[in-house]
Amino acid sequence: MKVAIVIAGLIVVAVAALVAIQPSFLKPASLALVKKSDIFGFSPGMAFEETSKLVNQRHYLCRPGRNASTLECDINGAKVTVESDEADARRPIWRVNATLNNPGEQDAAVKSISDQFNAQAIKDREGWTWIVGRGLKLSYDGLALNLVDEAAEARLRKAEAKR
């Protein structure tokens, strides 16, 4: 019986050491593939009704923007602009922009964003880019985060070009 207790104790110590060295050991494999695809809860593809519920639930300070398809919010010191597709009856979000008040050191911010969105950063001319979720592109220029549904953006550009 004493041998079983000692072995069980060694197993517990070994698992504790493994978790201390590699915390992701306990994270289920299904969560490793999950990527964050929102900024302050706003995500491209959300319908206007969902957006309104989010604003009410989280008590965000928001107001209509320069047109009916834009919502401007002040959240935790960030100026967040949410743009929706007014041509679609559901008015889904296609772009979320958050201008940060005090972003801090750029390298630290890029690492933090990469960790939060579980995605690898790609350096480009304007700053940093991440592919998060299906068809969603996140960019950061050192001051603002921009999350865009690329397919919706292309469709809106095409529609605007026809006008």
Side-chain angles (χ1 to χ4, degrees):
M1 181 70 161
K2 292 179 185 179
V3 173
I5 293 172
V6 170
I7 291 173
L10 289 174
I11 291 172
V12 169
V13 170
V15 170
L18 181 62
V19 169
I21 294 169
Q22 185 68 26
S24 64
F25 175 72
L26 292 179
K27 188 185 291 184
S30 61
L31 288 180
L33 300 175
V34 174
K35 289 188 176 186
K36 178 178 171 169
S37 59
D38 68 88
I39 295 177
F40 294 112
F42 297 109
S43 181
M46 284 177 69
F48 179 74
E49 186 176 302
E50 294 171 304
T51 304
S52 296
K53 284 181 186 177
L54 177 72
V55 168
N56 288 332
Q57 287 173 349
R58 296 193 180 177
H59 304 289
Y60 286 158
L61 299 173
C62 298
R63 63 194 164 282
R66 57 189 173 279
N67 58 40
S69 64
T70 304
L71 185 65
E72 295 176 349
C73 304
D74 292 314
I75 304 169
N76 298 335
K79 186 166 185 65
V80 179
T81 305
V82 178
E83 296 181 45
S84 59
D85 184 355
E86 60 189 58
D88 188 327
R90 291 184 20 206
R91 290 185 42 207
I93 293 174
W94 67 275
R95 178 190 301 267
V96 181
N97 180 282
T99 303
L100 307 175
N101 186 353
N102 187 8
E105 181 65 36
Q106 190 168 4
D107 290 338
V110 169
K111 181 178 178 348
S112 174
I113 293 166
S114 293
D115 291 346
Q116 286 180 46
F117 285 85
N118 193 21
Q120 188 65 36
I122 302 164
K123 178 83 168 129
D124 60 20
R125 288 189 308 263
E126 290 97 33
W128 299 90
T129 304
W130 296 262
I131 303 302
V132 293
R134 289 203 319 246
L136 301 180
K137 182 175 90 173
L138 176 70
S139 58
Y140 176 66
D141 63 5
L143 184 60
L145 284 170
N146 199 23
L147 182 61
V148 179
D149 179 340
E150 291 184 296
E153 182 180 42
R155 189 180 73 254
L156 290 169
R157 279 188 194 161
K158 192 175 186 180
E160 216 173 88
K162 288 181 180 178
R163 293 183 200 173

